[in-house]
PDB file of all heavy atoms in Angstrom:
ATOM      1  N   CYS A  37     113.368  46.706 114.406  1.00  0.00           N
ATOM      2  CA  CYS A  37     113.240  47.297 115.741  1.00  0.00           C
ATOM      3  C   CYS A  37     112.486  48.611 115.701  1.00  0.00           C
ATOM      4  O   CYS A  37     112.173  49.187 116.729  1.00  0.00           O
ATOM      5  CB  CYS A  37     114.602  47.476 116.400  1.00  0.00           C
ATOM      6  SG  CYS A  37     115.576  48.786 115.667  1.00  0.00           S
ATOM      7  N   GLY A  38     112.171  49.119 114.526  1.00  0.00           N
ATOM      8  CA  GLY A  38     111.358  50.329 114.449  1.00  0.00           C
ATOM      9  C   GLY A  38     112.082  51.542 113.890  1.00  0.00           C
ATOM     10  O   GLY A  38     111.566  52.656 113.946  1.00  0.00           O
ATOM     11  N   LYS A  39     113.267  51.323 113.336  1.00  0.00           N
ATOM     12  CA  LYS A  39     114.026  52.460 112.790  1.00  0.00           C
ATOM     13  C   LYS A  39     113.254  53.171 111.678  1.00  0.00           C
ATOM     14  O   LYS A  39     113.126  54.394 111.681  1.00  0.00           O
ATOM     15  CB  LYS A  39     115.369  51.975 112.213  1.00  0.00           C
ATOM     16  CG  LYS A  39     116.256  51.246 113.170  1.00  0.00           C
ATOM     17  CD  LYS A  39     117.626  50.954 112.576  1.00  0.00           C
ATOM     18  CE  LYS A  39     117.592  50.094 111.336  1.00  0.00           C
ATOM     19  NZ  LYS A  39     117.424  48.652 111.586  1.00  0.00           N
ATOM     20  N   THR A  40     112.735  52.367 110.749  1.00  0.00           N
ATOM     21  CA  THR A  40     112.015  52.961 109.623  1.00  0.00           C
ATOM     22  C   THR A  40     110.745  53.663 110.089  1.00  0.00           C
ATOM     23  O   THR A  40     110.370  54.700 109.550  1.00  0.00           O
ATOM     24  CB  THR A  40     111.688  51.864 108.583  1.00  0.00           C
ATOM     25  OG1 THR A  40     112.921  51.316 108.126  1.00  0.00           O
ATOM     26  CG2 THR A  40     110.929  52.431 107.396  1.00  0.00           C
ATOM     27  N   THR A  41     110.105  53.097 111.129  1.00  0.00           N
ATOM     28  CA  THR A  41     108.894  53.723 111.671  1.00  0.00           C
ATOM     29  C   THR A  41     109.196  55.135 112.151  1.00  0.00           C
ATOM     30  O   THR A  41     108.429  56.069 111.899  1.00  0.00           O
ATOM     31  CB  THR A  41     108.356  52.875 112.839  1.00  0.00           C
ATOM     32  OG1 THR A  41     108.180  51.551 112.375  1.00  0.00           O
ATOM     33  CG2 THR A  41     107.050  53.433 113.349  1.00  0.00           C
ATOM     34  N   ILE A  42     110.335  55.285 112.832  1.00  0.00           N
ATOM     35  CA  ILE A  42     110.718  56.614 113.331  1.00  0.00           C
ATOM     36  C   ILE A  42     110.959  57.557 112.151  1.00  0.00           C
ATOM     37  O   ILE A  42     110.481  58.695 112.132  1.00  0.00           O
ATOM     38  CB  ILE A  42     111.978  56.505 114.218  1.00  0.00           C
ATOM     39  CG1 ILE A  42     111.612  55.759 115.504  1.00  0.00           C
ATOM     40  CG2 ILE A  42     112.557  57.870 114.523  1.00  0.00           C
ATOM     41  CD1 ILE A  42     112.780  55.478 116.406  1.00  0.00           C
ATOM     42  N   LEU A  43     111.656  57.048 111.152  1.00  0.00           N
ATOM     43  CA  LEU A  43     111.930  57.853 109.967  1.00  0.00           C
ATOM     44  C   LEU A  43     110.616  58.286 109.290  1.00  0.00           C
ATOM     45  O   LEU A  43     110.453  59.441 108.905  1.00  0.00           O
ATOM     46  CB  LEU A  43     112.765  57.020 108.990  1.00  0.00           C
ATOM     47  CG  LEU A  43     113.841  57.738 108.212  1.00  0.00           C
ATOM     48  CD1 LEU A  43     114.773  58.477 109.134  1.00  0.00           C
ATOM     49  CD2 LEU A  43     114.621  56.743 107.371  1.00  0.00           C
ATOM     50  N   GLU A  44     109.688  57.341 109.193  1.00  0.00           N
ATOM     51  CA  GLU A  44     108.408  57.651 108.548  1.00  0.00           C
ATOM     52  C   GLU A  44     107.637  58.700 109.323  1.00  0.00           C
ATOM     53  O   GLU A  44     106.940  59.530 108.731  1.00  0.00           O
ATOM     54  CB  GLU A  44     107.572  56.371 108.405  1.00  0.00           C
ATOM     55  CG  GLU A  44     108.067  55.478 107.286  1.00  0.00           C
ATOM     56  CD  GLU A  44     107.304  54.165 107.186  1.00  0.00           C
ATOM     57  OE1 GLU A  44     106.595  53.806 108.152  1.00  0.00           O
ATOM     58  OE2 GLU A  44     107.424  53.492 106.157  1.00  0.00           O
ATOM     59  N   SER A  45     107.741  58.668 110.658  1.00  0.00           N
ATOM     60  CA  SER A  45     107.009  59.678 111.421  1.00  0.00           C
ATOM     61  C   SER A  45     107.646  61.049 111.244  1.00  0.00           C
ATOM     62  O   SER A  45     106.953  62.059 111.193  1.00  0.00           O
ATOM     63  CB  SER A  45     106.901  59.281 112.893  1.00  0.00           C
ATOM     64  OG  SER A  45     108.175  59.117 113.443  1.00  0.00           O
ATOM     65  N   ILE A  46     108.966  61.092 111.119  1.00  0.00           N
ATOM     66  CA  ILE A  46     109.626  62.380 110.864  1.00  0.00           C
ATOM     67  C   ILE A  46     109.215  62.921 109.496  1.00  0.00           C
ATOM     68  O   ILE A  46     108.949  64.100 109.320  1.00  0.00           O
ATOM     69  CB  ILE A  46     111.169  62.222 110.942  1.00  0.00           C
ATOM     70  CG1 ILE A  46     111.576  61.831 112.360  1.00  0.00           C
ATOM     71  CG2 ILE A  46     111.868  63.515 110.516  1.00  0.00           C
ATOM     72  CD1 ILE A  46     113.044  61.497 112.512  1.00  0.00           C
ATOM     73  N   LEU A  47     109.120  62.027 108.530  1.00  0.00           N
ATOM     74  CA  LEU A  47     108.765  62.428 107.163  1.00  0.00           C
ATOM     75  C   LEU A  47     107.282  62.794 107.033  1.00  0.00           C
ATOM     76  O   LEU A  47     106.883  63.428 106.058  1.00  0.00           O
ATOM     77  CB  LEU A  47     109.068  61.284 106.195  1.00  0.00           C
ATOM     78  CG  LEU A  47     110.543  61.084 105.843  1.00  0.00           C
ATOM     79  CD1 LEU A  47     110.799  59.673 105.369  1.00  0.00           C
ATOM     80  CD2 LEU A  47     110.973  62.087 104.786  1.00  0.00           C
TER      81      LEU A  47
END
Side-chain angles (χ1 to χ4, degrees):
Chain A
C37 72
K39 303 187 300 281
T40 299
T41 306
I42 292 175
L43 217 54
E44 284 176 344
S45 59
I46 296 173
L47 284 157

